[in-house]
Amino acid sequence: MGMLLWLACGSGGDACGGQGSDVAICRYNSPPEVVILAPADGAQTGAEVAAEAVVADDQSEPPELLLRWSSDVDGALEESTADAEGRVAAALILSPGLHRLRLDVWDADAEEGSDEIEIEVVVP
């Protein structure tokens, strides 16, 4: 048996969009979820990094999400797309040193989710 949930948000000009009506229907948009799977947090790696992550969003299909990899050392690295299951893969080139590697994800309503790890790039 299914259940229907209505969220009423008061009246008048309440923040939920009452716009002078007695009741407004609100749509809740949660931020996307992001988990970087590889490389592992604290790993040492070469300059070419095979990065993998998984993303999910309750309101959007994974391929509709905007994804951007970045590093606190090298800045914006690459925009990616997720497959239908939410898997993301990217080949990133990083300069030597300690990096905070981050994946930011936005849905169509500009809600943002992110995950980050620290890695050390060692060049032989």
Side-chain angles (χ1 to χ4, degrees):
M1 177 176 182
M3 179 185 292
L4 180 62
L5 175 66
W6 288 90
L7 179 61
C9 296
S11 61
D14 287 346
C16 200
Q19 307 295 324
S21 63
D22 289 334
V23 176
I25 304 300
C26 302
R27 187 175 78 104
Y28 178 73
N29 183 25
S30 59
E33 297 177 14
V34 186
V35 177
I36 297 175
L37 303 173
D41 190 29
Q44 285 189 338
T45 183
E48 187 171 329
V49 177
E52 296 178 25
V54 64
V55 297
D57 187 63
D58 290 340
Q59 293 79 33
S60 304
E61 294 297 320
E64 298 170 354
L65 300 170
L66 172 65
L67 298 90
R68 184 177 307 134
W69 293 94
S70 64
S71 157
D72 64 334
V73 174
D74 294 329
L77 299 169
E78 177 178 313
E79 289 188 6
S80 295
T81 56
D83 67 13
E85 287 77 40
R87 293 184 304 252
V88 181
L92 307 174
I93 305 297
L94 299 174
S95 59
L98 218 47
H99 289 259
R100 179 168 288 130
L101 183 63
R102 180 179 176 106
L103 178 58
D104 292 301
V105 180
W106 294 271
D107 66 15
D109 292 327
E111 285 289 336
E112 179 182 1
S114 65
D115 191 20
E116 63 183 37
I117 58 170
E118 288 189 4
I119 59 173
E120 183 177 11
V121 175
V122 180
V123 179

